């Protein structure tokens, strides 16, 4: 069996469902060889074992397991099936940034970003080869997708996309956090706390009291996962909230500054200009009728 790895996708955009199929191979039959398919091919084996290779990697994909074949690689059968083998396949597209990593790369590639008003960036982590614990639920979604595929697209478009995203959720190794490092777990908690209390006077010392860790350790975890200190994250998040208030309210600059936790308006304006490149008033005027 090849080394375990993951496919990371930076969102937005979201992966886009294209089609589904159900294949049955008799003993001796095998998956066709293909090169540079151009789309992701997600296999879900419900019976038997599929012997697949991709470039220099090989897998035995047994009942209850999945394999994600990449769009720019060479896929080939390692050997024919030993017994009758049944599997669903899903083709999906993704026009965003993605990369392939091994388990040892987790700390270097996980890094998230400040939640931004216009982007709200996020990363999902899909195991290339896995045995999802909720495979039975996934199989029900797969059968529903297959039954919908014979209907007119306008009738099933939204349900197809929703079912596909639910399948990705079941695979997303990031959302389960079962294998998360202590740094990742703590950084996620600190990030959520900063978003909830950004209007308050949050300091490294207050974070240490809240989470019962030394301030230096909290800073180190945040820098590892979010590439910034807690105070830098807090500062950037406050600026993002200011952008929303400038567009969605008629509040004065002073009121916005106070609302998001800045001590005075001039300091806020200087910080905003440094981050956005223009003053708060000019930013607001860009979106004024």
């Amino acid at each position: 069996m090849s080394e375990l790895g993951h496919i990371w996708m930076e969102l937005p955009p979201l992966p886009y469902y294209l089609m589904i199929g159900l294949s049955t191979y008799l003993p001796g039959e095998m998956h066709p060889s293909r090169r540079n398919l151009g789309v992701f091919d997600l296999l879900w084996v419900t019976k038997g074992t599929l012997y697949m290779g991709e470039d220099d990697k090989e897998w035995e994909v047994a009942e209850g397991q999945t394999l994600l074949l990449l769009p720019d690689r060479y896929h080939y059968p390692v050997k024919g099936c030993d017994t009758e083998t049944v599997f669903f396949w899903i083709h999906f597209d993704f026009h965003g940034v993605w990369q392939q990593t091994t388990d040892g790369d987790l700390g270097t590639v996980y890094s998230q970003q400040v939640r931004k008003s216009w982007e709200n960036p996020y990363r999902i982590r899909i195991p290339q080869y896995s045995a999802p614990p909720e495979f039975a639920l996934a199989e029900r979604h797969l059968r529903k997708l297959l039954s919908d595929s014979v209907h007119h697209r306008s009738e099933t478009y939204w349900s197809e996309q929703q079912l596909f995203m639910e399948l990705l959720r079941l695979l997303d190794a990031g959302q389960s956090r079962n294998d998360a490092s202590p740094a990742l777990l703590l950084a996620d908690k600190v990030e959520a706390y900063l978003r909830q209390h950004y209007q308050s006077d949050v300091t490294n010392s207050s974070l240490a009291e809240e989470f019962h860790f030394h301030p230096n350790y909290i800073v180190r975890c945040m820098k590892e996962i979010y590439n910034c200190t807690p105070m830098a994250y807090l500062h950037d998040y406050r600026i993002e909230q200011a952008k929303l208030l400038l567009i969605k309210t008629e509040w004065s600059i002073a009121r916005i500054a106070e609302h998001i936790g800045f001590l005075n308006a001039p300091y806020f304006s200087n910080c905003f200009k440094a981050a956005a490149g223009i003053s708060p008033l000019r930013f607001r005027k860009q979106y004024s009728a």
Side-chain angles (χ1 to χ4, degrees):
M1 184 185 301
S2 299
E3 182 181 20
L4 297 180
H6 298 87
I7 309 303
W8 292 78
M9 296 182 178
E10 297 185 10
L11 312 182
L14 291 172
Y16 185 80
Y17 167 78
L18 296 173
M19 61 171 45
I20 189 173
L22 179 64
S23 297
T24 300
Y25 291 165
L26 299 177
E29 294 184 332
M30 61 183 69
H31 195 281
S33 298
R34 297 173 304 191
R35 187 184 302 274
N36 297 326
L37 184 61
V39 296
F40 289 89
D41 190 4
L42 180 56
L43 311 179
W44 303 72
V45 176
T46 60
K47 182 180 180 181
T49 302
L50 198 60
Y51 300 92
M52 290 296 302
E54 181 180 80
D55 290 345
D56 58 348
K57 300 179 181 179
E58 296 181 354
W59 298 275
E60 296 181 9
V61 193
E63 179 179 337
Q65 295 182 329
T66 69
L67 179 65
L68 178 61
L69 299 174
L70 307 183
D72 58 349
R73 308 296 164 86
Y74 172 52
H75 312 140
Y76 56 92
V78 174
K79 68 172 187 175
C81 297
D82 299 321
T83 61
E84 182 181 70
T85 299
V86 181
F87 64 96
F88 290 90
W89 51 264
I90 292 178
H91 287 175
F92 70 91
D93 203 359
F94 182 65
H95 290 178
V97 176
W98 63 273
Q99 61 179 307
Q100 183 179 22
T101 67
T102 62
D103 285 343
D105 299 319
L106 177 59
T108 61
V109 298
Y110 183 81
S111 60
Q112 297 283 13
Q113 303 176 45
V114 175
R115 299 194 181 191
K116 298 182 179 179
S117 306
W118 278 262
E119 299 177 25
N120 196 18
Y122 187 70
R123 283 184 175 183
I124 58 173
R125 179 163 60 107
I126 303 175
Q128 185 166 21
Y129 170 78
S130 68
E134 297 183 84
F135 194 91
L137 174 60
E139 186 173 355
R140 291 197 292 271
H141 293 334
L142 290 164
R143 295 195 180 280
K144 181 65 168 64
L145 262 178
L146 186 66
S147 66
D148 285 349
S149 66
V150 301
H151 299 294
H152 197 281
R153 193 74 192 278
S154 62
E155 299 175 2
T156 60
Y157 173 81
W158 292 110
S159 63
E160 286 178 337
Q161 297 299 327
Q162 289 171 345
L163 285 169
F164 171 62
M165 294 308 296
E166 176 61 16
L167 288 167
L168 290 188
R169 186 194 69 79
L170 295 177
L171 288 177
D172 181 9
Q175 64 89 24
S176 69
R177 295 294 189 266
N178 290 332
D179 60 349
S181 68
L184 173 55
L185 292 172
L186 178 58
D188 275 356
K189 291 178 181 178
V190 172
E191 190 254 358
Y193 182 88
L194 292 172
R195 288 186 289 104
Q196 293 168 10
H197 299 87
Y198 73 94
Q199 296 169 298
S200 305
D201 183 21
V202 180
T203 65
N204 285 329
S205 296
S206 66
L207 289 175
E209 292 181 12
E210 176 68 24
F211 294 102
H212 308 292
F213 284 102
H214 193 280
N216 291 345
Y217 179 69
I218 295 176
V219 169
R220 188 164 70 249
C221 291
M222 283 293 290
K223 290 178 73 173
E224 177 181 338
I225 303 302
Y226 287 90
N227 287 328
C228 65
T229 66
M231 295 303 99
Y233 187 100
L234 177 62
H235 177 86
D236 291 348
Y237 189 75
R238 283 171 170 168
I239 296 299
E240 291 300 318
Q241 295 306 301
K243 290 177 182 178
L244 290 176
L245 291 171
L246 285 165
I247 292 174
K248 294 184 173 295
T249 74
E250 297 295 333
W251 290 3
S252 67
I253 302 303
R255 183 178 178 184
I256 289 175
E258 180 181 5
H259 182 81
I260 63 173
F262 278 83
L263 295 178
N264 61 72
Y267 177 64
F268 160 69
S269 295
N270 289 336
C271 291
F272 188 95
K273 187 172 183 178
I278 56 176
S279 69
L281 285 177
R282 287 194 61 187
F283 183 88
R284 172 177 274 169
K285 288 179 180 178
Q286 287 184 140
Y287 301 95
S288 299

